[in-house]
Amino acid sequence: MNYYVRKLLFYVVALWTAVTLNFLIPRLMPGNPVDILMAKLQVRGGSVDPAARRAYELLLGTGGDESLLSQYFAYLGNMLTGDFGVSVSVFPAEVSEVIASSLPWTIVLVGLATLLSFLLGIALGAIVGWKRGTWLDTLVPATTVLAAVPYFWLALILAAVFATTLGWFPLSGGYDVTLTPGWNAEFIGSAVYHGILPALTIVVSSVGGWLLGMRNMTVSAASEDYVLTARAKGLRDSRIMIRYAARNAVLPSVAGFAISLGFVVSGSIITEQVFSYPGIGSKLLQAVQNNDYALMQGIFLVITVAVLAANLAVDLLYGLIDARTRARV
């Protein structure tokens, strides 16, 4: 019980620290979102008198004459009530609305792509590691090279080949703009069709890391005593690989997968930008470009909570699986 209490206290402190940094970092950046919004209003012929500016400062929480400490406590209070403010880059939409509209796209795209790359990499890695020294080992350098390729370059290559040259897939967007979003077969089919290339980019670039890690752990597990004992008992080679070697070799990869799920909500910013995909990564880039404090803070908070929750889940899971972990704390 002491182990779990310490872990929970640690993550509470980590969450408070992350929330505090989430408040401070955007305000240390040069520029002011109110200036950006005033400039937009001027372009559209809107009013820019001092009263209007003060109203937008209060609305966007940039402070005006308020101290940084007052802004901080106001930020904590609003965060606890789910009020993240108004977005400058998507004005006058609420930050919570912007996140709610874009987060599902990223979770589905990046989540499914991450799961697919994990399963594919683990399966291939176990086979390659078990049959080390054979021609299958030639797969490892190829996948490692793909893992080292920058996201944007791979995305551009796939877009140029499969979208522009062959015309098999759409070049950009998350769905056919002529359709009305909803839970119907036509819209879901269009969303899946538009998400194939972005998902393929993520899978191709990340499967190599899972394959290499699983391959090395399988090689190590294959030399353990329990595998030698299983061989001496005359068990089938495939059963030894799956039930003994791969089952133990996969544990570090499962921990890595759980942590990577926490980063799913941050999306793949470069991939989403290349394919103009309506995910959370595109909104984050848009917020940074417009010094949109409120939207940046809202997105960073969602990412922080997701990553901390994934790490906490892994720590608690390891505490249940391995008693030695609890004993060391």
Side-chain angles (χ1 to χ4, degrees), residues 1-36:
M1 182 59 68
N2 190 38
Y3 169 81
Y4 298 110
V5 171
R6 291 187 181 184
K7 284 296 179 182
L8 289 174
L9 288 176
F10 170 80
Y11 280 101
V12 167
V13 174
L15 179 60
W16 172 78
T17 304
V19 167
T20 302
L21 291 175
N22 189 28
F23 169 80
L24 292 174
I25 291 176
R27 283 166 171 77
L28 297 176
M29 296 174 62
N32 190 314
V34 176
D35 293 335
I36 296 173

Side-chain angles (χ1 to χ4, degrees), residues 208-320:
W210 297 116
L211 189 154
L212 182 61
M214 185 62 182
R215 184 258 181 200
N216 293 339
M217 291 303 301
T218 302
V219 170
S220 177
S223 62
E224 294 291 339
D225 292 340
Y226 54 81
V227 173
L228 296 177
T229 302
R231 289 183 186 276
K233 289 181 177 180
L235 298 179
R236 295 194 309 273
D237 201 52
S238 59
R239 183 180 180 183
I240 298 174
M241 181 187 73
I242 297 172
R243 296 289 297 276
Y244 294 88
R247 185 176 180 180
N248 288 278
V250 78
L251 289 177
S253 296
V254 169
F257 175 67
I259 295 172
S260 69
L261 286 180
F263 289 96
V264 163
V265 296
S266 65
S268 179
I269 298 177
I270 300 299
T271 302
E272 291 183 4
Q273 193 67 16
V274 170
F275 293 102
S276 299
Y277 196 79
I280 202 73
S282 299
K283 295 300 181 185
L284 178 57
L285 181 61
Q286 186 179 1
V288 173
Q289 291 172 338
N290 289 282
N291 284 46
D292 191 345
Y293 292 170
L295 185 54
M296 279 191 286
Q297 287 176 322
I299 294 176
F300 288 153
L301 180 62
V302 171
I303 296 172
T304 299
V305 171
V307 173
L308 289 177
N311 279 272
L312 176 61
V314 170
D315 279 345
L316 296 181
L317 182 61
Y318 261 85
L320 291 173

Side-chain angles (χ1 to χ4, degrees), residues 72-311:
Y72 176 64
F73 285 114
Y75 163 72
L76 291 179
N78 292 334
M79 183 192 66
L80 292 175
T81 59
D83 180 10
F84 299 118
V86 179
S87 171
V88 173
S89 51
V90 200
F91 186 82
E94 295 280 344
V95 168
S96 56
E97 296 176 1
V98 177
I99 295 176
S101 64
S102 56
L103 188 57
W105 291 94
T106 293
I107 290 178
V108 172
L109 172 68
V110 184
L112 291 179
T114 301
L115 177 61
L116 181 60
S117 63
F118 171 75
L119 295 176
L120 186 61
I122 289 302
L124 292 176
I127 296 173
V128 172
W130 188 252
K131 299 181 180 297
R132 63 188 183 280
T134 66
W135 64 270
L136 289 173
D137 261 343
T138 58
L139 291 172
V140 177
T143 55
T144 304
V145 169
L146 289 175
V149 172
Y151 265 33
F152 72 91
W153 188 84
L154 183 58
L156 289 172
I157 293 297
L158 292 178
V161 174
F162 294 104
T164 304
T165 304
L166 299 177
W168 290 354
F169 302 102
L171 184 60
S172 62
Y175 60 94
D176 189 342
V177 294
T178 61
L179 300 177
T180 301
W183 293 104
N184 55 77
E186 189 176 13
F187 175 75
I188 294 175
S190 176
V192 171
Y193 181 52
H194 281 72
I196 290 177
L197 275 186
L200 185 62
T201 301
I202 297 172
V203 170
V204 171
S205 59
S206 58
V207 70
W210 297 116
L211 189 154
L212 182 61
M214 185 62 182
R215 184 258 181 200
N216 293 339
M217 291 303 301
T218 302
V219 170
S220 177
S223 62
E224 294 291 339
D225 292 340
Y226 54 81
V227 173
L228 296 177
T229 302
R231 289 183 186 276
K233 289 181 177 180
L235 298 179
R236 295 194 309 273
D237 201 52
S238 59
R239 183 180 180 183
I240 298 174
M241 181 187 73
I242 297 172
R243 296 289 297 276
Y244 294 88
R247 185 176 180 180
N248 288 278
V250 78
L251 289 177
S253 296
V254 169
F257 175 67
I259 295 172
S260 69
L261 286 180
F263 289 96
V264 163
V265 296
S266 65
S268 179
I269 298 177
I270 300 299
T271 302
E272 291 183 4
Q273 193 67 16
V274 170
F275 293 102
S276 299
Y277 196 79
I280 202 73
S282 299
K283 295 300 181 185
L284 178 57
L285 181 61
Q286 186 179 1
V288 173
Q289 291 172 338
N290 289 282
N291 284 46
D292 191 345
Y293 292 170
L295 185 54
M296 279 191 286
Q297 287 176 322
I299 294 176
F300 288 153
L301 180 62
V302 171
I303 296 172
T304 299
V305 171
V307 173
L308 289 177
N311 279 272

